[in-house]
Amino acid sequence: MAAIRNFFKKKKLDIKFKTAGAGHKLTDEQPTPQLSTHDSGASASRQVVPPTEAQKAAAEPEAALARLQAPAPAFAKGGSTAVQIRMRKELEAERKAHRAKEEEEKSALSGGPTVIDKEGPPMLSVSGIYYHCPLVGHDVLPRDEMEAKISEFLYAQSVEEPALSAALIIRTLNKNQQAVKTCVDTLCKYLDNIIQAPDEEKFQKIRTGNKAFQERVKCIEGSLRFLHGMGFSEQRLPFQDGEDDFLVISAEMAADSGRLVQMKEVLTNSEPIIPELDRGLQVFSPSANVTKFDLPDTFYRLTVEEIKKEAIQRSQHLEKDMQLRTKAMKERDEQRELRKYRFTLLRIRLPDEIIMQGVFHCFEKMAAVYAFVRENLVNDWQPFRLLTGDGKTFDEEAEPSLAELGLSPAAVLTFAWDAQVLQEVAAERGGLDKVEHLRPEILAKLQTL
């Protein structure tokens, strides 16, 4: 529906505008930094002291890093970006180690406590499972925190778009989808009754103590907000021998059928805002640890202790497994095995031995892996294949899930360009060694595995 599309488009533009940084007028002159007279006087009076051997050693990594970051001469422009980035990382690590050693020596001399560097390599292959939602911003958070942020975002839109935000709250913030469907059907029935008979008084009020209303509508978060958006308000009216609470819509609001029809379309066409799994993209330099995985507990449906216990039980029942079983029994055991894992960690080894890493849901298809790789390539149009270590190719359109393909909870795939297209690209670039794979901004994340 146009209203929903325009709402999402506007919110994405707002986020993009807010993250663009501080603006300035084109006619404004850019201020040029000036050196303070105090600083210049102090510099002139400062005596030049020859550097000691220790200062020279400390300055070597800085000088090497400065030389590497300096603009390359014309004859060096064909160098490998990956090699330059790797050298920069190594020099930065060397400089950091040198500073840590100096601090340790100073601490030892002063008798103070030893400072421990906490920024070492992580113990796990991934620190956890994180999510993002482009509609609410660029934050990457654990699922419960992201869901809380989405909830906060939807309630913040209630003033600007009360009906649409209420419909999205109903779809998004209620876990029981069957109860949501019942609530939406009931609200649509209220709307249909008023649209078809706007002058019928019995359709203009809803008794909130009614059992059907309590079980079908009121128990769903956002439903009362939607009714208020329709024009209903709380009133105390006579009922039987006393009074009771009602939601009442005025005759004027009930007669506006065009607005009510639009609200029904919003309610029926809205979809839940679901946090998207963040791939947690990491890029590693060539390493022998590519097949070494250490996964957090969030990757498993069961805890590590339960899985170990189950493995022991399987070995104890090996004799039972050798007995004849029906096909249904075997399929049931296979499905139980597939449901053990929630996520899978995939590493893709590129032709230059650089490794890409990403996190996926086990129920995702191979197309998601191809899309993940393609969006990080320099030439995203160039065809490629993903293979196992024994040469088995996974087709991009494969129907089985990653778990059914045996790629959970972790696996290593090999990237291979289409041979014919690769030869054409290499001929144009001047050789296979000139063919780049990952985009420069992705290579900038290169780290040691």
Side-chain angles (χ1 to χ4, degrees):
M1 182 185 171
I4 298 176
R5 286 197 302 270
N6 292 337
F7 173 78
F8 287 125
K9 183 177 180 181
K10 180 180 178 183
K11 294 307 168 187
K12 289 179 180 179
L13 287 174
D14 288 345
I15 293 170
K16 185 176 181 181
F17 179 78
K18 290 177 182 178
T19 57
H24 64 275
K25 295 181 179 180
L26 295 177
T27 56
D28 291 347
E29 293 184 1
Q30 297 299 321
T32 56
Q34 296 181 353
L35 185 63
S36 157
T37 56
H38 173 76
D39 293 341
S40 61
S43 300
S45 61
R46 193 181 295 119
Q47 295 182 354
V48 179
V49 180
T52 63
E53 293 298 326
Q55 290 174 337
K56 289 181 180 179
E60 286 179 1
E62 297 278 357
L65 183 60
R67 288 195 303 271
L68 185 62
Q69 292 175 341
F75 61 85
K77 289 185 178 178
S80 171
T81 307
V83 173
Q84 292 180 3
I85 293 173
R86 193 179 306 121
M87 289 174 63
R88 185 180 294 113
K89 293 286 184 180
E90 292 173 357
L91 288 171
E92 288 176 351
E94 182 181 349
R95 182 179 61 178
K96 182 178 177 181
H98 184 80
R99 288 180 176 175
K101 186 177 180 181
E102 283 187 345
E103 291 177 2
E104 187 177 351
E105 290 175 354
K106 290 179 181 178
S107 177
L109 291 173
S110 62
T114 302
V115 178
I116 301 175
D117 182 14
K118 297 182 179 181
E119 296 185 4
M123 297 302 294
L124 297 173
S125 299
V126 288
S127 59
I129 303 298
Y130 299 96
Y131 294 81
H132 67 274
C133 181
L135 183 63
V136 301
H138 301 291
D139 295 334
V140 178
L141 303 168
R143 187 177 185 102
D144 54 346
E145 294 182 23
M146 180 53 66
E147 288 178 344
K149 191 174 183 67
I150 291 174
S151 175
E152 180 184 351
F153 166 80
L154 290 176
Y155 277 104
Q157 311 306 313
S158 298
V159 176
E160 184 180 351
E161 296 282 353
L164 180 55
S165 63
L168 292 173
I169 288 172
I170 292 172
R171 296 287 190 181
T172 304
L173 304 185
N174 296 281
K175 302 299 183 183
N176 188 336
Q177 294 304 307
Q178 184 58 45
V180 169
K181 183 179 183 304
T182 301
C183 175
V184 170
D185 291 342
T186 305
L187 292 174
C188 287
K189 185 64 176 176
Y190 293 156
L191 284 163
D192 288 336
N193 288 338
I194 298 174
I195 292 169
Q196 295 170 7
D199 298 328
E200 189 69 42
E201 185 179 350
K202 67 177 182 179
F203 295 146
Q204 296 177 6
K205 57 184 179 180
I206 304 168
R207 187 169 67 88
T208 57
N210 182 277
K211 183 180 179 181
F213 178 80
Q214 293 279 342
E215 294 178 351
R216 292 169 173 263
V217 178
K218 191 176 181 179
C219 61
I220 298 298
E221 185 175 358
S223 58
L224 291 180
R225 284 179 173 270
F226 187 82
L227 288 169
H228 291 156
M230 286 175 59
F232 283 93
S233 60
E234 288 85 355
Q235 292 186 25
R236 190 90 176 161
L237 298 177
F239 179 72
Q240 294 181 352
D241 296 335
E243 291 184 342
D244 206 346
D245 293 325
F246 284 82
L247 286 170
V248 181
I249 186 172
S250 65
E252 182 181 357
M253 299 288 281
D256 191 356
S257 59
R259 184 183 64 87
L260 297 178
V261 169
Q262 186 178 13
M263 292 194 67
K264 181 182 176 182
E265 290 179 357
V266 167
L267 181 62
T268 54
N269 293 325
S270 59
E271 295 182 356
I273 300 175
I274 301 175
E276 299 177 15
L277 177 65
D278 187 75
R279 298 300 183 199
L281 171 65
Q282 295 189 66
V283 186
F284 301 107
S285 55
S287 171
N289 295 327
V290 62
T291 57
K292 183 179 179 181
F293 296 95
D294 194 358
L295 304 175
D297 293 346
T298 48
F299 267 65
Y300 303 90
R301 292 275 180 196
L302 306 175
T303 64
V304 175
E305 290 73 17
E306 290 172 331
I307 292 174
K308 290 179 179 178
K309 183 178 179 181
E310 187 175 327
I312 295 172
Q313 292 175 345
R314 268 204 314 270
S315 62
Q316 292 175 347
H317 292 86
L318 180 62
E319 186 175 334
K320 179 183 176 180
D321 292 340
M322 298 298 292
Q323 298 175 358
L324 293 175
R325 293 182 298 165
T326 64
K327 182 179 179 181
M329 294 171 63
K330 293 179 180 179
E331 290 178 349
R332 192 161 53 246
D333 290 343
E334 290 175 358
Q335 289 299 319
R336 188 183 303 115
E337 191 71 19
L338 293 176
R339 287 195 298 269
K340 183 183 298 182
Y341 307 108
R342 304 169 60 195
F343 307 97
T344 181
L345 182 69
L346 297 183
R347 288 175 179 164
I348 296 93
R349 184 192 283 111
L350 299 171
D352 56 3
E353 296 299 323
I354 288 178
I355 301 155
M356 287 177 59
Q357 176 177 291
V359 180
F360 299 83
H361 284 291
C362 281
F363 59 77
E364 289 188 86
K365 306 294 180 65
M366 204 66 205
V369 184
Y370 272 83
F372 166 71
V373 175
R374 186 175 289 113
E375 69 185 9
N376 295 302
L377 296 176
V378 173
N379 298 326
D380 56 359
W381 56 268
Q382 194 170 339
F384 64 89
R385 296 175 297 143
L386 296 177
L387 310 89
T388 58
D390 57 3
K392 177 186 175 183
T393 300
F394 289 110
D395 185 64
E396 184 173 0
E397 304 301 327
E399 282 300 320
S401 66
L402 297 178
E404 292 169 336
L405 291 172
L407 299 178
S408 62
V412 178
L413 300 176
T414 301
F415 177 98
W417 292 112
D418 180 271
Q420 183 178 354
V421 178
L422 178 61
Q423 291 299 328
E424 295 176 1
V425 174
E428 182 181 345
R429 300 286 175 85
L432 290 174
D433 59 331
K434 303 296 183 182
V435 176
E436 297 181 340
H437 308 293
L438 297 179
R439 303 202 315 266
E441 60 268 28
I442 304 301
L443 281 174
K445 302 179 181 180
L446 195 68
Q447 55 185 311
T448 303
L449 183 61

